[in-house]
């Protein structure tokens, strides 16, 4: 079942973080921080399916080099508590192919870059070995400053102001883009960025599964596959979540059926009216 997730976070020095370390980790590469001399080497990191830089058309050539870009972002900030990068963490539909997920993430990155004039570092990650195998996701790391022919310039203050509505706008836009991609792939599932409360839906929540329960469910799933039978949850948490997901699927099935019947009724009514004499 397609699900919506978009979280916007900041990378700040006040939390002991750096843009160079964040970029190296997400992309699975090595970057030396020229400001501190620290080498961030994540070349052995697994699960990075794709990484790419998306920059404005008028950005200088060096902005297409990951190490140069994030070292420039670090050097542009002088305060000890500076925010040095911003991150969009997004869930990618498991129902789509790897290529379709990649194009979807890159398309979203291009829109962010064009609207705010920032550089976007895209890293697409595969689901973790012990987690939900549908958890395809991407990290879009952006500069906090606009970048043009002269390099990094002014801060994107509109993204720091909750009253600007920019983050909510991006949530809505991301839902639109996912739904369009699902439709192109002939997948009936759809996502909605609004909370269930805002949509007027009362829905039981799933329970977070810890590492132990996740490992037990994964072993049970693999055992069922080896024996050629349907997998059934073995933990109380897994059983609860399976029931909640089943109820959600049934609700969506009923809603889609209701919409189809309504549309069919309107088509039949229109056909009947067209047969009447003028």
């Amino acid at each position: 079942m397609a699900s919506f997730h978009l979280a916007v976070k900041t990378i700040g020095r006040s939390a002991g973080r750096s843009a160079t370390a964040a970029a190296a980790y997400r992309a699975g590469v090595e970057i030396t921080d020229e400001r501190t001399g620290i080498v961030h080497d994540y070349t052995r990191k697994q699960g990075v399916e794709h990484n790419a830089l998306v920059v404005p058309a008028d950005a200088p050539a060096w902005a297409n080099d990951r190490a140069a870009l994030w070292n420039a972002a670090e050097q542009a900030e002088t305060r000890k508590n500076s925010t040095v990068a911003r991150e969009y963490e997004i869930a990618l539909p498991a129902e789509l192919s790897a290529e379709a997920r990649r194009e979807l993430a890159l398309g979203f990155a291009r829109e962010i870059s064009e609207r705010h004039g920032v550089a976007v570092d895209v890293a697409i990650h595969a689901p973790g070995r012990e987690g939900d195998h549908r958890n395809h996701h991407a990290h879009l790391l952006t500069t906090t400053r606009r970048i043009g022919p002269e390099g990094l310039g002014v801060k994107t203050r509109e993204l720091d102001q909750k009253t600007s509505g920019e983050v909510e706008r991006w949530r809505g836009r991301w839902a639109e883009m996912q739904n369009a991609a699902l439709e192109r792939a002939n997948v009936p599932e759809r996502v909605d960025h609004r909370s269930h409360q805002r949509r007027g839906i009362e829905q039981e929540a799933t329970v977070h599964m810890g590492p132990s329960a996740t490992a037990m469910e994964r072993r049970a799933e693999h055992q069922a596959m080896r024996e050629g039978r349907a997998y059934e949850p073995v933990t109380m948490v897994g059983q609860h979540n399976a029931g909640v997901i089943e109820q959600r699927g049934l609700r969506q099935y009923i809603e889609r059926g209701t919409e189809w019947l309504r549309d069919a009724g309107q088509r039949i009514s229109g056909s009947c009216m067209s047969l009447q004499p003028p």
Side-chain angles (χ1 to χ4, degrees), residues 218-231:
R218 183 55 58 84
R219 286 194 295 270
E221 185 176 5
H222 289 168
Q223 183 66 28
M225 291 176 61
R226 286 193 295 269
E227 296 177 0
R229 57 179 173 82
Y231 155 69

Side-chain angles (χ1 to χ4, degrees), residues 7-214:
V8 181
K9 309 173 183 180
T10 56
I11 309 295
R13 288 179 184 161
S14 58
R17 307 177 70 190
S18 70
T20 49
Y25 178 78
R26 283 153 182 76
V29 299
E30 178 182 320
I31 296 178
T32 300
D33 191 315
E34 297 171 359
R35 188 176 66 89
T36 63
I38 298 175
V39 178
H40 303 290
D41 185 357
Y42 292 101
T43 52
R44 295 185 179 181
K45 177 178 171 57
Q46 298 181 343
V48 180
E49 294 185 332
H50 183 73
N51 64 58
L53 287 171
V54 176
V55 302
D58 60 350
W62 57 258
N64 290 284
D65 179 279
R66 182 171 284 107
L69 174 67
W70 294 113
N71 269 296
E74 280 289 337
Q75 293 166 8
E77 310 300 334
T78 57
R79 294 183 292 110
K80 293 182 179 179
N81 62 344
S82 292
T83 298
V84 291
R86 183 174 284 105
E87 178 183 34
Y88 296 73
E89 181 184 85
I90 56 177
L92 298 171
E95 294 82 357
L96 299 178
S97 66
E99 181 180 358
R101 287 193 295 268
R102 181 169 61 251
E103 288 304 314
L104 184 59
L106 291 173
F108 190 50
R110 283 191 287 269
E111 290 200 10
I112 292 174
S113 179
E114 290 170 3
R115 182 172 178 84
H116 299 294
V118 296
V120 187
D121 196 347
V122 183
I124 299 176
H125 290 183
R129 292 182 178 179
E130 300 300 328
D132 189 338
H133 66 279
R134 299 164 299 178
N135 185 27
H136 297 275
H137 60 282
H139 300 269
L140 277 58
L141 199 66
T142 77
T143 55
T144 59
R145 295 178 179 272
R146 292 179 173 82
I147 185 168
E150 303 302 320
L152 292 167
V154 298
K155 285 272 194 176
T156 51
R157 296 298 182 190
E158 68 274 16
L159 288 164
D160 296 323
Q161 302 166 352
K162 293 182 179 180
T163 55
S164 70
E166 280 298 305
V167 172
E168 185 62 17
R169 177 194 175 279
W170 281 121
R171 287 175 57 80
R173 179 55 184 149
W174 178 232
E176 290 176 356
M177 294 180 70
Q178 285 187 84
N179 287 334
L182 290 167
E183 183 176 4
R184 287 193 297 271
N186 296 317
V187 176
E189 304 293 345
R190 297 292 182 269
V191 301
D192 196 313
H193 70 289
R194 298 171 298 170
S195 66
H196 294 307
Q197 182 177 5
R198 286 177 58 192
R199 296 164 63 191
I201 297 176
E202 293 184 3
Q203 180 166 280
E204 186 176 5
T206 56
V207 178
H208 174 70
M209 294 180 66
S212 298
T214 299

